[in-house]
Amino acid sequence: MNRNKNAFANGIRDGIPIALGYFAVAFSLGIVAKKAGLNPFQGFLSSMLNHASAGEYAEFTVILANAPYIEMVFVILVTNIRYLLMSCALSQKFDPVTSLAHRFLVGFGITDEIFGISIGRTGRLNPYYNYGAMAVALPSWAMGTAIGIVAGNILPPSVVSALSVALYGMFIAIIIPASRTDKIVGGVVLVSFAASFAASKLPLFYHMSDSMKISLLTVIIAGLAAILFPVNDEEDNPRSADLDKEAAEHDP
């Protein structure tokens, strides 16, 4: 019980910077939601069920265009498909006895940033750590959308754009420490940057959504990295047991 409480508290601590960044980005999304005709409650509910900026922007655009439901389902599926990959990757960090209910709940709250702080923890991942991060990050995301709808177009676009930069700076802060401590991770990050830039310029990818590009590049780059630089199993790497011990000490 104490271990779960500490894990939850650690999740809240690590989720606070994410919540601040989310509020700023969701605020600008709220302005788009107002143009689509949503009221503050509808915007809040939408953000509590859809935790992706690109996914919500696509959702509000479809609503604004008065498109059919089937088109909205398709657009949201394509835009958010990368979270399927993230959930599968994160599930490997759970203890094998972790229940299906915990796995589903953690999967529901997966975002790019929550995935980043979760995958970066050493040893086994306690689901209550994710619950703590979700408890502060997701309501902040939803509140930002609702308040953005209320504010409407009062703030100038330059201010809203400046606030949105906070999220990108936070995400960079997640990957830089891991890249500095592990040359392989750093190399994969650089390759990912180069491949993403190439995908944005090549005509072959012009008709593919940004989320689909990210998902495709993730599968290819992560697959190649796993083949070329496999992580040793516990039998081959005695340090893995030590990492689990260190995780237990930091998350008693």
Side-chain angles (χ1 to χ4, degrees):
M1 184 63 69
N2 286 336
R3 183 176 183 180
N4 291 341
K5 287 182 178 179
N6 287 333
F8 189 83
N10 289 336
I12 291 178
R13 178 200 63 202
D14 295 343
I16 289 175
I18 296 176
L20 297 175
Y22 279 180
F23 184 88
V25 175
F27 186 90
S28 62
L29 278 173
I31 296 176
V32 179
K34 181 182 178 181
K35 293 179 180 179
L38 275 69
N39 60 42
F41 174 75
Q42 290 169 334
F44 179 89
L45 184 61
S46 173
S47 290
M48 283 300 293
L49 298 176
N50 190 353
H51 310 140
S53 56
E56 278 211 83
Y57 182 81
E59 171 194 340
F60 298 149
T61 302
V62 171
I63 293 174
L64 188 60
N66 200 27
Y69 290 128
I70 187 65
E71 182 176 335
M72 177 176 290
V73 170
F74 178 75
V75 168
I76 298 245
L77 176 64
V78 171
T79 306
N80 292 347
I81 196 171
R82 67 184 182 276
Y83 296 117
L84 294 175
L85 302 175
M86 293 183 187
S87 297
C88 291
L90 199 58
S91 68
Q92 306 304 307
K93 286 185 67 68
F94 289 133
D95 191 291
V97 300
T98 301
S99 69
L100 191 61
H102 281 308
R103 295 174 186 270
F104 271 121
L105 288 173
V106 169
F108 171 75
I110 285 293
T111 67
D112 297 330
E113 291 71 32
I114 291 179
F115 172 80
I117 62 174
S118 301
I119 206 72
R121 291 182 67 81
T122 57
R124 295 294 184 184
L125 180 65
N126 188 327
Y128 285 87
Y129 174 80
N130 289 73
Y131 299 155
M134 291 161 57
V136 291
L138 301 188
S140 179
W141 175 255
M143 284 299 300
T145 304
I147 294 175
I149 294 175
V150 173
N153 292 319
I154 296 176
L155 292 178
S158 58
V159 174
V160 175
S161 178
L163 290 173
S164 300
V165 173
L167 190 67
Y168 300 103
M170 180 182 59
F171 193 72
I172 291 174
I174 293 174
I175 64 174
I176 291 300
S179 300
R180 293 180 62 183
T181 57
D182 191 321
K183 293 182 179 179
I184 294 176
V185 173
V188 171
V189 169
L190 291 177
V191 169
S192 300
F193 285 162
S196 181
F197 177 77
S200 68
K201 299 299 181 182
L202 294 176
L204 177 65
F205 298 97
Y206 280 173
H207 300 292
M208 189 177 294
S209 69
D210 289 340
S211 181
M212 185 62 75
K213 292 177 187 176
I214 293 173
S215 299
L216 181 62
L217 292 176
T218 299
V219 171
I220 295 175
I221 296 173
L224 290 175
I227 293 172
L228 297 175
F229 310 103
V231 176
N232 294 328
D233 294 331
E234 249 183 50
E235 295 84 12
D236 301 325
N237 184 12
R239 276 288 297 161
S240 60
D242 295 336
L243 290 176
D244 285 338
K245 279 185 180 178
E246 291 175 12
E249 290 173 1
H250 287 88
D251 199 15

